[in-house]
DNA sequence: GTCTATAGGCCGATAGAC
DNA sequence: GTCTATCGGCCTATAGAC
């Protein structure tokens, strides 16, 4: 998955890993400082080379965002595909919460932070690149796993909040002194209690 | 409250309302487009004058942020003071949710969006202005109203999530087709169900 | 209170050498 | 793949006229 072309040569070139390193650094800086206040120069210097070298790997700053979006989209799509292959039921819903938590502990939290702080940027980038299916659609299919077919508005909201509280854990626990593990376990219980009742 | 000085003359000058109009426009643009991509020129033109005139009212762009922070801080402090004067109990907790919802429907949602997208900026601005008590402290006292004295980690998280879901309603309901009123009512029920049980 | 004009700096992006 | 050098543009902020 994610077969995007290099800047200089063609597709599927030997995996130097430079693009991935650029993406990771860029995502970290975007989520910590904001997209606009992170310059191409800063990203490059953090990686030990100059801005011009960066433009060899990505043809523009927005192109880095496009790559980040594709990475996250494919991660969500994978989770949805896995969920679609399982038996529906309370057990599946608990496992979706666990997997979502795992994604959010990887690069996901940074990604989520970036997405919610740059709604317009992301929307505008995605609308000019004719993408097959966006992350919003993938999220919609994920929520469908968590809700009965003709769920009420409240139940549909509950499904969305059940995943959102996981993303908000950092913000909510900033002033709570307790191990991270205890906080994550408590959040998982709260998330499960938010899910709409059995169906 | 909020007796900050004008740019040109001294304190308590006649309420031309220009500062307030500048704050409102700036907050809207900051929350919609981001702080960095909103320029002083754009704020000024939206109000029908030029950038230089803006610098008469606020000595810098960060100074606008300082004024916005003070406005929000005093709103939270007022809510905390009111809650402190009431009888504790389930009824008070429901009313705090209702008042929080009201604040968030005023300028609060924009403020919250701005705060969570510009954590570093806000922290750096507040640390060099020696402010008596920050918003974080005011929020802490608000959470205390919603939790028993020696609450568990889970209950403390529940209190924070109960308020956070109200701020997250817009994001969670983006793909749900229903009136705003129905969504708000459902969110209020979910928020109440998140509060830690009676104490 | 609002204006024009400008200083001084950083930005994204490109050209072309190595 | 990485570099130096540069372009054109927009930014925050200030000076000084009205």
């Amino acid at each position: 998955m994610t077969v995007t072309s290099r800047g200089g040569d063609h597709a599927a070139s030997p995996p130097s890993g430079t693009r991935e390193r650029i993406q990771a650094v860029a995502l970290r800086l975007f989520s910590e400082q904001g997209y606009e206040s992170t310059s191409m120069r800063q990203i490059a210097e953090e990686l030990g080379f100059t801005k011009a070298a960066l433009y060899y790997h990505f043809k523009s700053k927005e192109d880095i965002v496009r790559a980040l979006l594709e990475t996250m989209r494919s991660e969500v799509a994978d989770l949805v595909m896995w969920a679609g292959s399982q038996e529906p039921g309370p057990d599946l819903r608990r496992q979706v919460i666990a997997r979502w938590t795992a994604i959010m502990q990887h690069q996901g939290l940074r990604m989520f932070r970036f997405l919610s702080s740059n709604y317009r940027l992301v929307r505008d980038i995605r609308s000019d690149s004719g993408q097959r299916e966006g992350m919003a659609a993938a999220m919609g299919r994920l929520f469908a796993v968590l809700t009965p077919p003709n769920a009420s508005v409240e139940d549909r909201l509950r499904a969305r909040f059940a995943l959102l509280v996981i993303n908000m854990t950092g913000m909510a626990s900033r002033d709570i002194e307790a191990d991270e593990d205890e906080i994550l376990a408590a959040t998982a219980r709260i998330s499960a209690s938010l899910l709409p009742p059995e169906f």
Side-chain angles (χ1 to χ4, degrees), chain A:
Chain A
M1 71 193 69
T2 313
V3 185
T4 40
S5 60
R6 297 300 140 116
D9 46 75
H10 314 91
S13 41
S16 70
T18 305
R19 269 180 74 97
E20 286 74 12
R21 284 169 57 229
I22 293 170
Q23 285 189 47
V25 167
L27 179 56
R28 178 169 56 77
L29 295 176
F30 290 167
S31 67
E32 285 174 357
Q33 313 180 333
Y35 175 76
E36 306 286 348
S37 38
T38 300
S39 68
M40 292 294 265
R41 187 180 56 78
Q42 192 186 6
I43 296 169
E45 282 175 359
E46 197 111 350
L47 285 155
F49 46 68
T50 65
K51 188 177 56 160
L54 204 51
Y55 278 95
Y56 171 80
H57 297 280
F58 289 95
K59 77 175 203 295
S60 70
K61 194 179 179 185
E62 295 196 352
D63 209 44
I64 299 179
V65 175
R66 255 183 284 274
L68 290 172
L69 288 175
E70 171 50 27
T71 300
M72 184 65 177
R73 189 205 60 79
S74 82
E75 228 162 333
V76 175
D78 287 351
L79 173 56
V80 170
M81 193 177 315
W82 171 83
S85 73
Q86 303 293 112
E87 279 297 310
D91 222 57
L92 172 60
R93 306 212 299 281
R94 267 191 295 274
Q95 282 185 281
V96 168
I97 289 177
R99 287 190 174 229
W100 185 254
T101 304
I103 290 174
M104 282 302 136
Q105 289 198 271
H106 176 220
Q107 302 247 47
L109 259 188
R110 283 182 175 136
M111 193 65 208
F112 176 78
R113 195 173 168 76
F114 170 72
L115 285 175
S116 43
S117 299
N118 297 279
Y119 174 67
R120 300 237 161 156
L121 170 76
V122 168
R123 185 198 60 191
D124 294 347
I125 284 183
R126 291 203 3 80
S127 62
D128 58 46
S129 79
Q131 201 154 337
R132 22 176 203 281
E133 192 198 46
M135 200 165 352
M139 289 301 298
R141 288 192 284 135
L142 184 58
F143 291 140
V145 176
L146 299 174
T147 33
N150 290 309
S152 65
V153 168
E154 179 171 336
D155 282 351
R156 298 182 70 194
L157 276 172
R158 282 182 169 273
R160 284 152 183 77
F161 285 138
L163 297 190
L164 272 177
V165 295
I166 291 166
N167 300 346
M168 299 281 109
T169 306
M171 188 183 298
S173 63
R174 195 166 285 156
D175 66 332
I176 296 182
E177 67 304 330
D179 334 327
E180 201 181 310
D181 285 349
E182 188 178 357
I183 286 172
L184 283 173
T187 302
R189 288 193 296 275
I190 295 170
S191 174
S193 79
L194 273 167
L195 282 184
E198 312 299 330
F199 59 94

